Each structure stands twice: as structure tokens, then as C-alpha cells.
Amino acid sequence: MATPGRPAALALVFLLLAGCALKQPVPIGDFTEPVAQPAWKVGDEWAYRYDGASGAGTFAWRVDRKENLAGVPHYVVTAGPREIFYRVDDLGFTRETLDGKISREISPSTWRVVAFPLRVGQSWSMKYVERRPLEQETESVERRCAAEGRETVTVPAGTFAAIRIVCANALTNAWVLTLWYSPFVHLMVKDEYPLKTGGRSSRELLRFSRK
């Protein structure tokens, strides 16, 4: 026997369920601007997956220690056999080694994909010489980056409030990097970049641990 009003009640239930399904997840780590520079700690770790024309896989960055280079304090971040050196003062990249040998080094150490304090609308430029001893190559580089806007980004580690940063070759205006920085994570949650061999690649945060 049919119950009066039942179709209407069922329709209401379906609408409520549909509304729940369409509801967007609340982003982790909402923030105010300007965003201050984070203080990394030994043991901090970020794991990513990468995917692109050159292949796919996973890797992890871990803050292993602090070490002085020419008397300047640096964070040393390990990634398998690689060690990457970032200045403590401003997280500027200085050097990368592979199995203890210098594979990449820049001078002056001005390469920063994130400039602090960070706010939307901010831009910064960098000019340096990059030396790659293992490839016997030296290159003069000019980069320009800009914090273009706030976005909500969903990656395997979750949904995060982030600032989108776009970097270009200042000499040719060619795009070189788009990165989404999350103040909550203290690092990027995602980035995209072109490959020298053609196509592009991306990296997304799988998990992270802050000490």
C-alpha cells in the first residue's frame, strides 16, 4: 500500500545526499598574509609522487641536518643519494651533491621559488650563474617569479589552502615552473614544470611530517 507523501520524502533525501556529494572539502591550513618564512627542523619530511613524459615514481625530501657553507648556515635536505643545501636565512638554494660530488651549484645563491614574507601580487627576480660539474656545463640564468593568487589544491596528502607561484625565464619569458606553496606544509604541495626533452612533469604531495 502506497504511503502518501513518500515520493516527495524520497526526493528530499536524494537532494540532501546529492548536496553532500557535491560539497567541497574544507582546505587544510587557511592562512593570512603576509606569510612568514617557516623554520624547518631536523626530521621534517615531505614525500611526493612525480609523473610526466620522463616517467613516474616517488621520492622523499628529509631535513637531515644544518651545516655551514663558507661560514653560512644551511639546511641539508636529503633525497636518496642527493643532498640539497638551502640557506637558513631565506631558503635560497646554493648547492646539490650526488654521492658526495657537486652536481649543481649556483653563485650568488639567489634562486628562491618562494620569497618571504610572501603575499599575493608579490614578484621577485634572480640572476645567477649555474654550474653543473658532472655535465661540464655552466649557464647564466635570470628568473622572474610572481605569487599570482590563492587556490585550493587537492593532492594525495589532502586538500590545502595554497598560493600559486609562477616562474619564467626573464630573458625569453618562457615558462619554467608553477608551484603551489602551502604555509601549513612549509613547502609546496604541487608543482608543474617543462622538460628539456619535451612535455612536462608534475609532483604532488603524498604525505608529510613536521617536527
Side-chain angles (χ1 to χ4, degrees):
M1 182 175 179
T3 303
R6 187 175 181 185
L10 287 174
L12 179 60
V13 170
F14 287 138
L15 284 173
L16 290 172
L17 289 174
C20 292
L22 294 173
K23 187 178 180 181
Q24 296 296 316
V26 177
I28 301 169
D30 197 13
F31 57 89
T32 58
E33 299 176 43
V35 175
Q37 178 177 314
W40 292 349
K41 296 181 180 179
V42 172
D44 285 353
E45 185 169 321
W46 305 268
Y48 294 89
R49 70 178 184 189
Y50 62 91
D51 189 18
S54 62
T58 63
F59 67 95
W61 284 332
R62 183 180 186 277
V63 181
D64 182 72
R65 64 188 186 278
K66 288 183 180 179
E67 183 176 316
N68 286 350
L69 287 182
V72 178
H74 282 69
Y75 294 112
V76 182
V77 176
T78 58
R82 296 184 183 275
E83 291 191 335
I84 310 165
F85 293 75
Y86 296 95
R87 269 199 318 274
V88 171
D89 283 350
D90 60 3
L91 299 185
F93 169 78
T94 299
R95 176 184 295 174
E96 181 177 320
T97 65
L98 177 62
D99 293 324
K101 298 179 180 179
I102 296 175
S103 59
R104 184 179 174 214
E105 189 171 41
I106 69 171
S107 181
S109 178
T110 58
W111 172 231
R112 296 172 296 157
V113 291
V114 184
F116 298 98
L118 178 67
R119 59 171 59 85
V120 172
Q122 176 183 352
S123 62
W124 56 100
S125 298
M126 298 152 285
K127 185 177 181 179
Y128 54 89
V129 173
E130 180 172 327
R131 188 171 66 92
R132 297 183 290 275
L134 299 181
E135 302 169 19
Q136 297 183 336
E137 293 181 356
T138 301
E139 179 184 7
S140 294
V141 180
E142 293 187 34
R143 295 285 183 264
R144 181 180 63 253
C145 297
E148 294 191 342
R150 295 174 68 127
E151 292 186 358
T152 297
V153 182
T154 298
V155 294
T159 298
F160 298 89
I163 292 181
R164 185 185 72 254
I165 296 169
V166 179
C167 297
N169 184 324
L171 299 175
T172 65
N173 208 36
W175 169 68
V176 296
L177 175 70
T178 299
L179 174 145
W180 287 264
Y181 176 82
S182 164
F184 184 77
V185 173
H186 289 181
L187 203 60
M188 69 178 191
V189 291
K190 179 182 177 180
D191 72 354
E192 297 177 349
Y193 51 94
L195 298 171
K196 290 182 179 180
T197 54
R200 64 169 62 193
S201 189
S202 65
R203 298 178 288 192
E204 295 183 336
L205 186 68
L206 291 172
R207 62 184 181 278
F208 69 101
S209 174
R210 286 169 35 198
K211 298 298 181 183

